[in-house]
Amino acid sequence: MQVDPDLEGSYEEAPANILEYAKRDRRWCQGNLQHGKLIAAPGMKLWSRVSLASGIMAYAASPIWLMFLIVSLLDPILAPEPNYFPADSLFPVFPRPETGKALLLLFGIFVLLLLPKTLIAVGSAFTARRRRFGGTFAVLAGATAELVMTSILAPVMMMFQSKAVAEILIGADAGWPSTERADGSLPLDAAFKASWWMVLAGGIVLFATINYAPDLVLWTLPIALPLVAAPFLISATGNPALGDWARRLRLFETPFEADPEPVIRSYALWHERLSGLVGTGDLEKATVPVAPVLPDPA
């Protein structure tokens, strides 16, 4: 399979909010997990197998992370009291500190997650490419905002993806629901209806940690708090006002927004024309085609 990154005259808008993103992600998850039957297929090149495995791990990583968190929380609750004087030893046996290994693992995770993004952001902010993305400040501010947003939403996406993997493994088919891509607010009650189980899970984690493992409270807050606040976070992702605010600050600006493709400008012009016809009630003119060749916005 080959992907052409230079195709012109075509585009696809992103889902309107996290719920719509999760719908699309559910379809992609099912497709990626089905590739597990192809990894061992004869005649396939090594990097093709690696690509399929990477696609599977993109979704399998979420339930693995979730199980790791559950085990980490259960360990201090269910682990037996340490025995420093076992009967089969003449000398006391003290636990070995593993702080160094834990910090090394934490550092490795940060490097794995942040180094590629940091290199891309720096490479775009301090080279001639910065003009295509709004300038140095816009690139660095956008990269920082994206990092903060994805970090806060990571537990929410972990739960959505873990649920998707579980449904697929038990044979539940989600079908092919359409994805809403038009800007529009997402009511808080709709967000709560889709994420109440996350709120419950986050509350249980906080309760269990505070009562049975208080030393881990600070470590669990970055995961439990976003889950408790999931309805508000999900609703906020569908708020057009936040998009307008980011647009005014030129956050997340791309060359396709600064200089849109003709098809995008044609769509915007037709949408504006159609909105005007709807406002006047003269829908019969809605079938009048828009000229495909538009002046350059520059």
Side-chain angles (χ1 to χ4, degrees):
M1 180 180 66
Q2 296 180 345
V3 178
D4 185 353
D6 300 321
L7 289 176
E8 298 179 353
S10 178
Y11 77 104
E12 179 184 4
E13 289 185 310
N17 51 65
I18 289 295
L19 290 186
E20 298 301 322
Y21 183 91
K23 288 182 183 179
R24 187 185 69 173
D25 215 36
R26 171 65 172 80
R27 299 196 302 265
W28 289 5
C29 177
Q30 183 162 337
N32 282 22
L33 294 187
Q34 289 173 345
H35 293 163
K37 299 180 179 180
L38 301 177
I39 291 182
M44 188 177 296
K45 294 183 178 180
L46 174 62
W47 285 114
S48 296
R49 303 183 196 275
V50 171
S51 178
L52 294 178
S54 298
I56 295 172
M57 281 303 300
Y59 294 98
S62 286
I64 292 175
W65 181 23
L66 178 60
M67 288 186 289
F68 175 79
L69 293 174
I70 293 173
V71 171
S72 299
L73 292 176
L74 290 178
D75 180 67
I77 299 175
L78 302 179
E81 292 292 331
N83 182 11
Y84 301 124
F85 301 94
D88 57 349
S89 176
L90 298 176
F91 304 96
V93 178
F94 297 101
R96 298 174 55 186
E98 303 291 350
T99 305
K101 292 182 179 179
L103 292 177
L104 183 61
L105 176 62
L106 184 62
F107 175 76
I109 293 174
F110 272 102
V111 170
L112 178 65
L113 296 178
L114 300 183
L115 184 59
K117 291 185 177 182
T118 302
L119 293 177
I120 293 173
V122 171
S124 298
F126 297 102
T127 62
R129 295 183 62 197
R130 65 182 181 274
R131 299 186 185 91
R132 304 178 60 201
F133 294 90
T136 299
F137 173 79
V139 172
L140 296 180
T144 303
E146 187 271 342
L147 176 61
V148 173
M149 290 173 58
T150 53
S151 299
I152 294 175
L153 292 173
V156 177
M157 294 308 303
M158 173 193 67
M159 298 296 282
F160 273 130
Q161 292 182 346
S162 297
K163 180 173 178 286
V165 171
E167 290 175 346
I168 294 168
L169 292 180
I170 64 175
D173 192 342
W176 197 270
S178 60
T179 301
E180 178 62 46
R181 303 179 190 275
D183 291 338
S185 59
L186 180 65
L188 184 60
D189 57 344
F192 180 80
K193 184 178 180 180
S195 61
W196 63 268
W197 53 282
M198 297 185 193
V199 178
L200 180 62
I204 292 175
V205 168
L206 279 178
F207 176 82
T209 306
I210 292 173
N211 287 275
Y212 299 103
D215 294 339
L216 300 179
V217 169
L218 292 179
W219 291 95
T220 57
L221 285 181
I223 298 170
L225 288 183
L227 293 180
V228 173
F232 299 96
L233 295 175
I234 293 173
S235 179
T237 62
N239 189 345
L242 291 179
D244 294 338
W245 175 77
R247 192 176 298 110
R248 287 195 295 268
L249 294 179
R250 304 187 72 179
L251 293 178
F252 316 121
E253 183 173 303
T254 67
F256 298 101
E257 293 176 309
D259 184 18
E261 293 281 345
V263 65
I264 299 179
R265 286 183 273 130
S266 296
Y267 167 78
L269 184 59
W270 173 251
H271 187 271
E272 181 180 355
R273 177 183 177 84
L274 184 60
S275 298
L277 294 174
V278 171
T280 60
D282 193 4
L283 291 178
E284 294 181 357
K285 297 181 180 180
T287 57
V288 177
V290 177
V293 179
L294 300 176
D296 192 330

